[in-house]
Amino acid sequence: MVIKANLAAGKKLREVYEAAQRDGLGVPYGQFKTYVQRLRKRDLRQGSQAVSTHMRVQTPAPRVEPRRDAAPGQARPQGAPSDPLRNVREQRAKRKSFDYDPFPTKGLTQ
């Protein structure tokens, strides 16, 4: 199949469509794209090893090593609850100058 070969060679779907139009294929681009997607799904179901430029290859996630520059006392003990806003609280505690807080937590009276 010429369309499969061109897509496997790295040509864009639009380029293959335009070449097919010049050869006399009288199908709108949206319908052509749908047909190609259906053919790709069929090939996947049949176990074909067809190469597609639009299919992603899944790779395993890289293993994350713990930070070595963190102090031993800062490591979160196993089973302790996580604190997603810890970094925000630490930054607020480190402030040395005045910083306007539009949403103060204390001191509002009405």
Side-chain angles (χ1 to χ4, degrees):
M1 173 170 230
V2 177
I3 294 174
K4 254 188 196 181
N6 285 330
L7 290 173
K11 292 191 178 183
K12 294 182 181 180
L13 187 62
R14 181 60 103 175
E15 294 172 342
V16 174
Y17 169 75
E18 289 170 356
Q21 287 295 94
R22 286 190 298 269
D23 290 340
L25 182 69
V27 177
Y29 179 70
Q31 192 173 9
F32 176 78
K33 191 166 73 169
T34 301
Y35 289 155
V36 170
Q37 289 171 347
R38 287 179 185 171
L39 290 172
R40 287 177 176 160
K41 283 183 183 180
R42 186 190 69 191
D43 287 345
L44 283 176
R45 272 188 255 126
Q46 291 177 352
S48 173
Q49 297 299 323
V51 177
S52 172
T53 59
H54 297 287
M55 292 182 211
R56 295 183 181 174
V57 177
Q58 292 183 353
T59 57
R63 185 172 175 210
V64 178
E65 296 292 328
R67 288 181 38 184
R68 295 181 186 190
D69 61 340
Q74 290 181 348
R76 186 170 59 106
Q78 194 72 346
S82 67
D83 185 10
L85 296 177
R86 187 188 81 206
N87 62 340
V88 174
R89 288 188 191 94
E90 288 174 358
Q91 287 175 356
R92 284 189 176 181
K94 290 180 184 178
R95 284 193 199 141
K96 295 181 181 178
S97 64
F98 176 76
D99 191 16
Y100 176 72
D101 187 6
F103 305 105
T105 56
K106 296 181 187 177
L108 285 180
T109 58
Q110 290 188 7

